[in-house]
Amino acid sequence: MTVPSSSPVAVADAAAARGDLPAAVKAYQQIVAADAASEEAVRAKEHAVLRLGQLLRDQGAAADLAALQTQARPFLISLPKAKTAKIVRTLIDYLSEIPNSLDLQVAACKSAIDWAEAEKRAFLRQALETRLAAMYLDNKMYTESLALIASLLRELKRLDDKAVLVDVQLLESRVWHALRNIPKARAALTSARTSANSIYCPPLMQAALDLQSGVLHAEEKDFKTAFSYFYETLEGYSSQDDARAVLALKYMLLCKIMLSLPDDVTALLTHKVANKYTAIEVDAMKAIATAMQQRSLLDFERSLTQYKAQLHDDPVVRLHLSTLYDTLLEQNLVKVIEPYARVEVAHVAEMVKLPVAQVEQKLSQLILDGKIKGVLDQGVGILVIFDEVKDDATYTAAIDTIKKMGTVVDALYQKAATLS
């Protein structure tokens, strides 16, 4: 907005521009507290509310930002409903970007919902309740989230508001996935896709649907299909310059690793869509892929420690970490015992730097699964590995021949019985 250089807004903007945040915050607070009599004063106050919210977010002042929402409500009543909804949602978005403020976010969102209901702002209330359900999910309050979602679904189906309905059904799918109820998560996602097919689906919404589809296919170990969905997600987010494109790329790399194709990770990162993303999430997956290539359990564990926030703290990646670890442990054990016909279990444990009991248990499992041809002599702690013996097809062929001869003899007997 264009304002005279001597106006309070210009003074506050100038203070913010030169980095004098305390002075800028104080100036904006004065504008917010003042009455807005003219149209220009209303625009200035609207600008001050949003800029003050940004500064409080940057300072991490969660309590002050929550108080700003309450303070601005008398002014927001005088604005058009669409603009009011935008400002309220923006302030809550700013609050959500402040770390370790989830409890305050929930309280602020509940307060805003009560205010919207009192002012009969139905669409704003629905948007805020959807956001509150997502906050419950982030806070692992699944029962509360599902109860709120059920109430929203009943209301939205009655109003036939498909755009918000898709968001709520997608959120329901995410909640059921967090609860490890995959059938219900898939059913909710199917409902969301059905609703999306009847309206214009914005690129970001379509990308979110594809992302959830990929996550659920990965749950069912169908990593090829999951990869294709994550690729669609990457293209959707990339076309809108959305930061979540990096997340889609990370899950694509995860699929390649889970398919035992770590060599494809480097080739994938040279793709025209993927090569512009160099975030730490990509580095984490490259480190895991390198560990898989070298079948190095030590490098794998080192990567988990180094990139804990990107790997272990990601619920989707964390679900597959144990499978990745078991796969890599198997490959590592096979790599260690390859040169031997007889080897001490203690030596194998020393090579992979794991307890003897754990290595012995894993070797037993590999023998039972037929992945290692051998036997464990637990009395002396030795693994005896058998030579690879090719199957002799003579016995099988002989049995088949005898069966066919028996069939011919039976047929001849029946014909002879008929003739006599």
Side-chain angles (χ1 to χ4, degrees), residues 8 66 85-86 95 98 112 125 135 143 168 171 186 196 215 225 227 235-236 292 335 356 390 396 420:
K86 179 182 178 182
L95 185 59
I98 299 176
R125 176 183 55 78
M135 289 179 184
T143 304
V168 176
L171 181 59
R186 183 163 290 285
V215 168
T225 307
F227 178 86
E235 288 196 323
M292 292 289 288
K335 176 184 176 182
V356 174
K390 293 184 179 179
T396 305
S420 62

Side-chain angles (χ1 to χ4, degrees), residues 177 210-211 219 408:
H177 174 250
D210 290 336
L211 180 65
E219 281 283 349
V408 172

